[in-house]
Amino acid sequence: MVEHQLRARGIRDERVLRVMGELPREKFIGPVYREEAYEDRPVPIGAGQTISQPYVVALMSEALKVEPHHRVLEIGAGSGYQTAILAKLAKEVFAIERIAELAERASKVLSELGIDNVQLRIGDGTLGWPEQAPFDRILCAAAAPDVPEAWIEQLADNGRIVMPIGGPEMQNLFLITKQGDKITHENLGGVRFVKLIGKQGWEE
Ligand code: SAH
C-alpha cells in the first residue's frame, strides 16, 4: 500500500508514510469488508459511512503538516483510522463523531492499539470543540458547503484546516490557512466524501 498507492503517487512526508505503514488498517474495518482493507478505494464502515481510500487519507494527512507538539481537532472520526494517524503525528487529538455506534467502535479500536492521546466525543462537530480551542490543525473527512465559522474561530494563528468543500455529490479538497485576520484557500483537487451533517453543515 505505501509503495504502490502512496509513494508512487507523490506522497513524500516520511512521518505520514511511516505511520500508515505501521498502523493495522484492517482493525478499523468490520469483518465483512476486512479483506478489502488495503484496496485502492473507499470501504464501508457501517451506518452508511465509508473510510476513505488510503491515498486520500495520506494526501489529507500530508497537507495538514502536523507537528509533534500540535493539538488537532478532527471532525468525522468514523472508524477511527484517520484519528489514529493524527494521534501518532500530533501531541493530542480531539475527535468528534455524530454517530454513536461508530464512535464507540473507534474508541475501542484506539484503546486496543494503545493509543491514549485521543479524546473522542459524540456530537455535532460543525460547532467545533470550544472548551478545547484553539487548535493548531483541523481535519474533516465529511463534505460541507463551506468552512464552518466555528472552526475558523477555533483555529490558532498560523493554523491549517484540511476538508472537502462543495455540493453533496462532488467536492474539492481544500487547504485553508489562517494568518492573523487573513484566511486563504488552496484547492487540492476533486474528491467525493459523505456529507457533513449539522448546524453549520448540511441538514439531515
Ligand atoms: N476519517 C474516517 C472517515 C469517516 S466518514 C475514517 O477514517 O474512518 C465521515 C464521518 O463524518 C462519518 O462517520 C459521519 O458520521 C461523520 N460526520 C458527519 N457529519 C458530522 C458532524 N457534524 N459531526 C461529527 N461527525 C460527522
Side-chain angles (χ1 to χ4, degrees):
M1 177 187 89
V2 167
E3 290 312 315
H4 294 108
Q5 298 180 39
L6 310 186
R7 221 186 273 277
R9 287 193 201 144
I11 303 296
R12 291 288 173 263
D13 187 319
E14 289 299 329
R15 293 180 74 220
V16 170
L17 292 167
R18 177 171 48 78
V19 166
M20 288 186 69
E22 286 169 4
L23 266 181
R25 185 168 153 97
E26 70 282 0
K27 291 242 187 319
F28 296 88
I29 294 171
V32 179
Y33 290 98
R34 192 150 291 156
E35 287 184 0
E36 295 180 28
Y38 295 90
E39 302 279 306
D40 187 18
R41 56 167 179 269
V43 178
I45 54 170
Q49 309 301 315
T50 53
I51 181 171
S52 302
Q53 75 194 87
Y55 174 68
V56 173
V57 174
L59 187 68
M60 292 177 79
S61 305
E62 181 170 72
L64 202 61
K65 285 205 197 314
V66 182
E67 295 171 25
H69 62 276
H70 281 164
R71 301 170 76 252
V72 181
L73 174 67
E74 186 203 14
I75 298 94
S79 70
Y81 178 63
Q82 174 79 72
T83 319
I85 293 170
L86 294 171
K88 299 265 183 194
L89 298 172
K91 179 163 178 252
E92 254 186 304
V93 179
F94 301 88
I96 310 176
E97 169 54 54
R98 67 183 282 274
I99 301 176
E101 174 199 336
L102 296 180
E104 280 153 19
R105 214 188 312 137
S107 285
K108 195 163 156 263
V109 179
L110 291 169
S111 67
E112 279 169 12
L113 293 175
I115 294 173
D116 58 7
N117 56 339
V118 174
Q119 288 191 43
L120 177 59
R121 73 170 178 82
I122 299 161
D124 177 8
T126 66
L127 305 174
W129 195 327
E131 300 80 4
Q132 296 291 352
F135 302 102
D136 303 295
R137 300 289 186 259
I138 299 179
L139 185 141
C140 175
D146 205 347
V147 194
E149 196 50 44
W151 301 358
I152 302 277
E153 281 162 20
Q154 293 172 30
L155 186 64
D157 198 20
N158 295 314
R160 294 176 158 237
I161 302 176
V162 174
M163 68 176 295
I165 299 177
E169 299 298 329
M170 298 266 277
Q171 309 95 27
N172 286 298
L173 193 61
F174 276 92
L175 166 64
I176 296 131
T177 51
K178 174 172 171 176
Q179 280 178 309
D181 291 339
K182 196 168 151 237
I183 308 293
T184 55
H185 287 61
E186 184 187 333
N187 189 339
L188 305 178
V191 285
R192 211 186 149 160
F193 277 83
V194 299
K195 282 199 269 185
L196 181 72
I197 298 169
K199 285 219 173 71
Q200 296 185 22
W202 297 100
E203 277 180 30
E204 182 130 33

